[in-house]
Amino acid sequence: MPANPDEGTLTALLKGELTVTGEFLWGSNYTFFAEIAWQGETLKAVYKPTRGERPLWDFPAASLARREVAAYLVSEALGWRLVPPTVYRRKASLGAGSVQLFLEHDPEYHYFTFSAEDRQRLRPVAAFDLLVNNADRKGSHILMAAEGTIWLIDHGICFHVEDKLRTVLWDFAGEPLPAGLLADINAFRDKLAAKEGAPSELAAQLNIYLSAGEVAALRRRAEELLTLGCFPNPPASRRPVPWPPV
């Protein structure tokens, strides 16, 4: 078994033969369902070609697919494993873009239909969105796999240097951050710190997909959360939830 359980999956997503088999029609950007054949196995995946991205006034052009990969790297660095394995493929049938492992789930069971008990499991999700500055956390972007694992998708508009957080998940506003999450965020902050004047290994990885300013802002948000020590309240100066919320 690879040292990283996702290593084989990441290799398959990156190098396997990708065939588009369908299209998701409800999103703002072109998103496709795909199958990937690799070493006798077939994986299901979600493929988001860069050239299918709708331009946004406040995010750099042709950057959304790369942000999907950055979100996966942050999730892994935190040890929270909230984002399915995701890669950036330079060669695919519709051009370069992100490719993410598709996980079987019930699309009708999401944040707005979760039980009270399952909602209580979402503190790491709320903390993750604060760190990545998620500008579009809709209820349907929080999934639950058949075995009960929570997964997060759609991170194309994250990591802006300015505060852009828009999320449906304000359940824990004002609550202290659990000690375990604070410890993980502290370790994550340290992983982003420069080493002898050079970017850390994690920062160098993220610099492939984000600007230097965005990586610096990510570390700053980690520091701010550690100082605050609790989940913040929704901002009164702007709309704090996405539209539509689902």
Side-chain angles (χ1 to χ4, degrees), residues 115-137:
S115 67
E117 291 77 13
D118 283 338
R119 279 206 182 192
Q120 287 299 308
R121 299 172 56 198
L122 299 181
R123 285 174 180 81
V125 176
F128 179 77
D129 284 342
L130 288 164
L131 285 168
V132 303
N133 196 17
N134 194 342
D136 192 37
R137 175 61 73 206

Side-chain angles (χ1 to χ4, degrees), residues 187-196 198-203 219:
F188 174 75
R189 184 268 311 271
D190 291 345
K191 289 179 183 179
L192 284 175
K195 310 296 182 183
E196 299 180 353
S200 67
E201 180 180 354
L202 176 59
R219 186 170 190 269

Side-chain angles (χ1 to χ4, degrees), residues 104-164:
E104 298 292 346
H105 64 282
D106 178 358
E108 299 301 319
Y109 193 62
H110 51 70
Y111 170 77
F112 287 110
T113 58
F114 279 169
S115 67
E117 291 77 13
D118 283 338
R119 279 206 182 192
Q120 287 299 308
R121 299 172 56 198
L122 299 181
R123 285 174 180 81
V125 176
F128 179 77
D129 284 342
L130 288 164
L131 285 168
V132 303
N133 196 17
N134 194 342
D136 192 37
R137 175 61 73 206
K138 293 179 170 63
S140 60
H141 296 173
I142 306 173
L143 315 177
M144 189 170 294
E147 77 281 6
T149 303
I150 292 171
W151 293 103
L152 309 179
I153 61 170
D154 287 338
H155 298 100
I157 50 176
C158 294
F159 298 105
H160 202 285
V161 295
E162 299 175 6
D163 181 16
K164 297 280 185 178

